Amino acid sequence: MTRLGGCKCGQVRYEIEGEPIRTGLCHCETCRKDTGSAFSFFGIWPRAAVTLSGELGGWRSRAGLDRFCPHCGSSLFCFDEGSDEIEIKLGTLDGGPSEIEPRYELWTIRREHWLTPLPQADQHERDRPKREA
């Protein structure tokens, strides 16, 4: 499956091949401020599965280098150079992320009281535990 997406002004575009490795919601303060909403919905893909075009700006967050369009300000990705994974903000997909479901929630200690836990998703008070190699 191929998915397309980009920023609000169209200067940054991307193409994704295949299914995500994992998907989630994050309720941390950084994600709230980054999205201007109560949480962020994201998917992780192998970096090799994503083709990017356009100019990107970036700033260093706890999770890595957050990338955005310097023209319209759309927050799009989080990845470091040389990383084998890329986090994509799923609201930037053309047509939306309707067919993708979150499999975990992060920073649930900061989830708004009026939001309920997703029954199909693993719950993590803070970051997801690192997988052993």
Side-chain angles (χ1 to χ4, degrees):
M1 169 177 265
T2 301
R3 293 180 172 93
L4 303 174
C7 66
K8 292 179 287 213
C9 73
Q11 188 272 139
V12 176
R13 296 292 301 159
Y14 64 86
E15 183 175 310
I16 310 169
E17 293 294 333
E19 296 302 315
I21 299 167
R22 59 189 182 275
T23 57
L25 301 180
C26 185
H27 302 274
C28 79
E29 185 175 3
T30 300
C31 284
R32 288 173 180 224
K33 289 180 182 268
D34 189 44
T35 63
S37 188
F39 56 84
S40 174
F41 182 25
F42 60 89
I44 308 293
W45 270 267
R47 179 66 183 89
V50 181
T51 304
L52 307 174
S53 65
E55 177 188 358
L56 291 172
W59 65 279
R60 176 68 53 193
S61 73
R62 187 176 46 80
L65 191 57
D66 279 18
R67 312 297 177 112
F68 62 92
C69 173
H71 299 277
C72 68
S74 294
S75 179
L76 298 156
F77 319 108
C78 185
F79 67 93
D80 286 320
E81 293 302 326
S83 173
D84 59 349
E85 292 183 342
I86 182 171
E87 175 185 302
I88 298 176
K89 311 293 185 188
L90 295 179
T92 65
L93 286 169
D94 294 350
S98 300
E99 75 283 353
I100 301 173
E101 291 186 17
R103 296 294 176 208
Y104 59 91
E105 290 189 75
L106 302 176
W107 284 87
T108 58
I109 62 168
R110 296 223 172 125
R111 181 175 40 226
E112 291 297 327
H113 67 89
W114 42 264
L115 288 171
T116 58
L118 296 174
Q120 80 280 10
D122 293 338
Q123 304 293 308
H124 303 283
E125 282 192 359
R126 290 184 171 76
D127 289 326
R128 189 175 67 86
K130 301 290 183 204
R131 301 254 187 244
E132 298 297 320

